[in-house]
Amino acid sequence: MGEKIPEPVKKCVAILKVADSDTAKFAGLFMVTKLVKAGDCSSACKKALFEAIGFKFLKKLLLSSEVPIDCPPLVYKSVALSILSCFCSDPEIATHQEMLANIPVFLEVIEKAEQSDDDDLLMVISESYECLKHIASYPAGQKAFLKSGVLTKLPDFYIEQCFQCDEALSIFVLIVGCQGPVAWGTDPKIFHSILNKMSLDFKSDQSEKKFELCSMLYTLLFNCPRDFIDASTDEEIWPSSTYKGITEILTSKIGKTQRDPALKLASIVVELLGVEWCLADEERPKQFFLLLVQLCSVEVRMQLEDRTLKQVIGNAELITSCFTIMELAIAFVASGGKIDLEEKEKQTMYTGLKGAFNAVITLLTKMSKELPDGGSGPERIFTCALVRVLAAWLAQETSANRNAVIAMLPFILKIANETFRATRARRLASKTGSPDLESEESNPWGHIDVLRLLLPALCHLAVDDKARSVLFQVEEDEVLFECISYHWSIVNYKRPPVPKSERKKVRAPDAGPDAKTLAEMADSRIAMISACNIFMNLTVLEPKRVESSPLFDRLLKFVMDALPEVKSTSENLVLQGHLAVFGLLLMKQLATKARKNDFSICRYVQSVIRFLWDAYVIDEGRETTVSTGSLVVSMTYKEHWIELSELWFLGMQTMSGLLSQLPWVSEFAVETGWVEGTAIMLRKVRVGALPHNIRAAYEDFLCQMLAANKDVAELLKSHDILTTCRTHRLMELGKRLFGE
């Protein structure tokens, strides 16, 4: 049943509806003002009055520059805004379609008032902002701002330092914080302009406003489109100004309310710009970096130790901000980033991080017992954050808390696996336009693939007997096969099929994958490499399980089908190496199941040979006649040789061992020209220019080829292998060819 409207309001509504002129309607507004400001004017009353007046009439008053003689020049605007500001305090009217459609009118009123020298117009600006603030408080109002196309005027008001520009900034930050990256549109200039102005104010201000700006900067950066941050960002003012503002706060005597926003802002800037941003101080580049890591480590302990789960979740935003800094700092130092830490500094950093991760492990252990399913909503999201940051630590630190980590490994894997499957389902639903997309989007597990981040840590854990036993107990090998198959579907990019209706039309050449797809392919490439490393460890350390497990049969088939399909590009070379060597290890364990006439094996072995053959060449800068050249890593491999070196030696060793089990593999080595090419190459290398480990790898390979294939001896002799054996002291090869 509708809310009863009092008689005075009904009377006023009737007067407004029958008013046959603007003058009569305007006279009725004074009665409206009195009624609206009364304490007992309900939402239904306000809506009835608003619809009786109509926004069209109020708009006319707002934009009119002509007023009756003897009336104050602002009388129309003042009355209209006075009524509207009262109306807007009601949610139903603030989100009324007529109100939302006329957001540009309020901004136009502000613009015109700013252009005037009349100080009396300042009240008009204040009341306009009051209306806009109410409208922006609701999702419908925020979306209307975006739809109106005038949202960017708010940051412009702040940049130009117009009257009450702080109100404009507050409204803009509110909308961006609620609506996310879409609020920025597609032009990065607006983003950089407002960030430059705000960061300068943030750096120079010494009042409480400094901390308000700190929180606002965090909101804007947290919700910015990631593609706005590119190489040109270094030319902007805001990275350095933000650095100075944050360092000033964090190196001062401050309380929690000042420190927390600064840590959160530092976190998002490090996430966007990288750890290098912390090293901006040319005189003491390490100081702020070490301080930041230490502050985050201490904060994590303070927030996690001796707290209830409810208390911890209540500070999740701050804690996860600290996690981000810790995670990126660990990766930066581990990758040999541009920072030269002294041993004492490394030890201090390690001690701080270790204390923080002790707290993380203790909390996760507790959660594994109290919330074995990972909880729901915020609990699930926070659980993911805990596992994610722990994964970063375990990828580098393999000994600390090992028993505690192994004890809760089933829980960690359960969380990781669920996030992987939810993320995969979300991506597939997005790609196919599935009706399930909305439900997948709302799944908190589906927004971060924790298993992907855990893979490097699992490489280390797979070497530990106890941890490896857990992996097999929970059938993680099956999930890892799903994982590598999923990432292969991303790496192995295929042009989307052309709809039937488009097939007869002239089409532009395929431009290839877009930037987003290329980034996904690069990430999935790394994931596949990590998965291969895990499987290689399992294959070597659990040979009996490999021989009896149907999963590893499927894995061998997968690798044999995938490797020949990998495009021969520089960015794919490390993946090719891992697939090649992993497949060789599997073939060696499953040799009894390999068949010579299997076409997939033929293609696979040819791809492996190509990978092993192309690694070394004769230095073209030197004379390449007999025994005068130098053996060097080929240019293609040189860029990635740190990652490929051990793979190549392991691949050569495994290939040599495989020849004794599957002699027919030698036929591929002969037919492809690899054996002949190796003999010619070694013949050109001068005395003393063949390193011992490379010499041993090639000699063992050629010896095994001799044993596996009777045609190899004559082939080698035809290339003066005796001289090569003498030049490089290939004693074993010489014995097998020519006897004692």
Side-chain angles (χ1 to χ4, degrees), residues 11 63 86 136 248 287 307 362 371 406 456 544 600 627 652 661-662 706 727:
K11 183 179 178 183
L63 300 178
C86 291
E248 186 179 18
Q287 186 178 20
R307 298 284 184 99
T362 300
L371 298 169
I406 293 172
K544 290 183 179 178
S600 64
S627 299
M652 289 294 291
Q661 293 175 277
L662 299 173
L706 280 171
T727 302

Side-chain angles (χ1 to χ4, degrees), residues 526-601:
I526 296 168
M528 286 188 72
I529 290 168
S530 294
C532 282
N533 282 327
I534 298 168
F535 278 124
M536 281 194 273
N537 285 335
L538 297 180
T539 302
V540 171
L541 296 170
E542 296 283 347
K544 290 183 179 178
R545 192 182 292 269
V546 170
E547 289 170 17
S548 61
S549 169
L551 170 69
F552 285 88
D553 292 343
R554 284 156 44 213
L555 262 171
L556 181 58
K557 180 74 170 68
F558 166 80
V559 172
M560 287 182 171
D561 289 340
L563 179 60
E565 294 295 319
V566 179
K567 295 178 178 66
S568 294
T569 59
S570 175
E571 57 265 25
N572 281 335
L573 189 56
V574 178
L575 174 60
Q576 284 177 311
H578 279 82
L579 288 171
V581 177
F582 173 39
L584 284 175
L585 290 169
L586 276 177
M587 270 186 79
K588 197 166 182 294
Q589 294 292 352
L590 303 171
T592 56
K593 300 178 182 179
R595 296 290 177 268
K596 179 181 177 180
N597 58 358
D598 185 333
F599 180 64
S600 64
I601 288 184

Side-chain angles (χ1 to χ4, degrees), residues 191 221-222 224 226 229 238 267-274:
F191 168 76
L221 285 167
F222 186 83
C224 81
R226 293 307 193 253
I229 309 296
W238 67 263
S267 168
I268 190 62
V269 179
V270 170
E271 185 178 337
L272 293 172
L273 302 182

Side-chain angles (χ1 to χ4, degrees), residues 451-464:
L451 179 61
R452 161 70 190 86
L453 302 168
L454 191 63
L455 293 175
L458 291 178
C459 292
H460 298 304
L461 290 168
V463 179
D464 183 279

Side-chain angles (χ1 to χ4, degrees), residues 73-312:
L74 299 177
V75 65
Y76 287 167
K77 286 183 175 64
S78 184
V79 171
L81 283 168
S82 178
I83 291 170
L84 282 169
S85 59
C86 291
F87 278 154
C88 282
S89 63
D90 184 85
E92 201 169 341
I93 297 179
T95 57
H96 194 285
Q97 204 52 47
E98 275 199 277
M99 190 72 80
L100 300 181
N102 285 282
I103 287 172
V105 174
F106 292 105
L107 292 166
E108 188 180 341
V109 169
I110 293 171
E111 274 186 305
K112 286 183 176 178
E114 280 291 344
Q115 292 163 7
S116 171
D117 295 329
D118 188 351
D119 287 345
D120 291 337
L121 283 167
L122 298 181
M123 183 57 72
V124 169
I125 295 174
S126 296
E127 290 184 327
S128 295
Y129 276 129
E130 190 66 26
C131 294
L132 291 172
K133 216 170 5 175
H134 285 304
I135 294 170
S137 300
Y138 305 99
Q142 295 157 13
K143 287 173 183 172
F145 262 101
L146 302 188
K147 191 177 178 182
S148 69
V150 294
L151 180 62
T152 54
K153 288 189 177 181
L154 292 172
D156 286 342
F157 290 152
Y158 182 79
I159 292 166
E160 294 163 12
Q161 289 293 283
C162 299
F163 177 68
Q164 287 208 329
C165 61
D166 286 350
E167 293 289 350
L169 181 62
S170 296
I171 295 168
F172 181 70
V173 171
L174 171 65
I175 294 169
V176 172
C178 294
Q179 295 299 309
V182 69
W184 288 104
T186 56
D187 186 0
K189 289 181 183 177
I190 300 161
F191 168 76
H192 290 302
S193 296
I194 187 65
L195 262 290
N196 286 338
K197 173 59 182 163
M198 287 177 68
S199 62
L200 282 172
D201 292 346
F202 171 58
K203 179 183 75 170
S204 58
D205 198 288
Q206 299 302 316
S207 67
E208 281 299 312
K209 186 183 175 185
K210 188 183 196 76
F211 304 105
E212 293 173 15
L213 285 167
C214 187
S215 296
M216 288 180 169
L217 282 166
Y218 168 74
T219 300
L220 295 184
L221 285 167
F222 186 83
N223 292 285
C224 81
R226 293 307 193 253
D227 58 355
F228 280 10
I229 309 296
D230 54 26
S232 66
T233 303
D234 293 338
E235 300 168 12
E236 303 295 339
I237 299 168
W238 67 263
S240 59
S241 297
T242 307
Y243 174 85
K244 288 172 184 172
I246 292 173
T247 51
E248 186 179 18
I249 292 174
L250 294 179
T251 54
S252 303
K253 290 184 179 180
I254 50 171
K256 178 178 171 57
T257 53
Q258 290 89 28
R259 183 177 60 251
D260 290 0
L263 285 175
K264 289 197 288 185
L265 178 56
S267 168
I268 190 62
V269 179
V270 170
E271 185 178 337
L272 293 172
L273 302 182
V275 174
E276 290 84 359
W277 170 81
C278 297
L279 314 176
D281 188 335
E282 293 180 3
E283 293 182 8
R284 293 180 294 180
K286 296 184 286 186
Q287 186 178 20
F288 180 62
F289 169 75
L290 292 169
L291 171 67
L292 199 54
V293 175
Q294 191 65 21
L295 285 172
C296 289
S297 300
V298 171
E299 191 65 41
V300 167
R301 290 189 65 178
M302 288 170 59
Q303 295 294 336
L304 300 189
E305 291 178 349
D306 303 319
R307 298 284 184 99
T308 65
L309 187 56
K310 187 176 180 181
Q311 288 173 321
V312 171

Side-chain angles (χ1 to χ4, degrees), residues 313-554:
I313 299 290
N315 282 316
E317 189 176 27
L318 171 63
I319 298 168
T320 52
S321 293
C322 292
F323 284 171
T324 298
I325 292 172
M326 290 160 57
E327 180 182 334
L328 294 172
I330 291 166
F332 182 74
V333 173
S335 64
K338 298 176 183 177
I339 185 168
D340 185 20
L341 295 178
E342 296 173 8
E343 198 57 43
K344 186 178 179 182
E345 291 169 332
K346 288 180 183 176
Q347 188 58 46
T348 302
M349 181 177 167
Y350 173 80
T351 302
L353 287 169
K354 186 178 177 184
F357 282 106
N358 283 343
V360 169
I361 290 168
T362 300
L363 179 61
L364 265 175
T365 303
K366 182 180 178 183
M367 292 178 74
S368 68
K369 295 169 183 173
E370 295 181 6
L371 298 169
D373 61 347
S376 59
E379 293 168 343
R380 285 196 162 203
I381 296 169
F382 188 68
T383 305
C384 287
L386 287 166
V387 176
R388 172 179 178 149
V389 74
L390 181 60
W393 175 248
L394 294 176
Q396 309 302 331
E397 173 50 64
T398 59
S399 56
N401 302 101
R402 176 58 64 94
N403 290 334
V405 169
I406 293 172
M408 65 175 177
L409 191 54
F411 176 69
I412 291 174
L413 291 172
K414 181 179 180 181
I415 300 299
N417 295 344
E418 289 200 35
T419 62
F420 158 64
R421 285 169 175 151
T423 306
R424 179 179 59 182
R426 179 170 172 255
R427 184 178 187 276
L428 292 175
S430 174
K431 290 286 182 185
T432 59
S434 167
D436 297 330
L437 178 59
E438 190 173 338
S439 64
E440 296 297 345
E441 288 283 354
S442 63
N443 183 352
W445 286 142
H447 291 269
I448 179 70
D449 182 358
V450 176
L451 179 61
R452 161 70 190 86
L453 302 168
L454 191 63
L455 293 175
L458 291 178
C459 292
H460 298 304
L461 290 168
V463 179
D464 183 279
D465 291 343
K466 291 180 181 177
R468 193 167 61 253
S469 176
V470 172
L471 292 179
F472 284 115
Q473 282 172 21
V474 300
E475 298 182 339
E476 191 62 23
D477 49 338
E478 292 280 356
V479 181
L480 288 170
F481 181 51
E482 289 181 43
C483 176
I484 200 171
S485 301
Y486 166 68
H487 286 291
W488 170 240
S489 72
I490 297 172
V491 171
N492 190 31
Y493 170 81
K494 303 287 186 186
R495 182 177 178 174
V498 180
K500 284 185 179 180
S501 59
E502 301 288 321
R503 288 176 188 172
K504 292 183 180 180
K505 296 180 182 178
V506 177
R507 288 179 280 120
D510 182 18
D514 58 22
K516 182 183 177 184
T517 304
L518 285 171
E520 288 179 346
M521 289 169 67
D523 186 68
S524 287
R525 206 177 286 122
I526 296 168
M528 286 188 72
I529 290 168
S530 294
C532 282
N533 282 327
I534 298 168
F535 278 124
M536 281 194 273
N537 285 335
L538 297 180
T539 302
V540 171
L541 296 170
E542 296 283 347
K544 290 183 179 178
R545 192 182 292 269
V546 170
E547 289 170 17
S548 61
S549 169
L551 170 69
F552 285 88
D553 292 343
R554 284 156 44 213

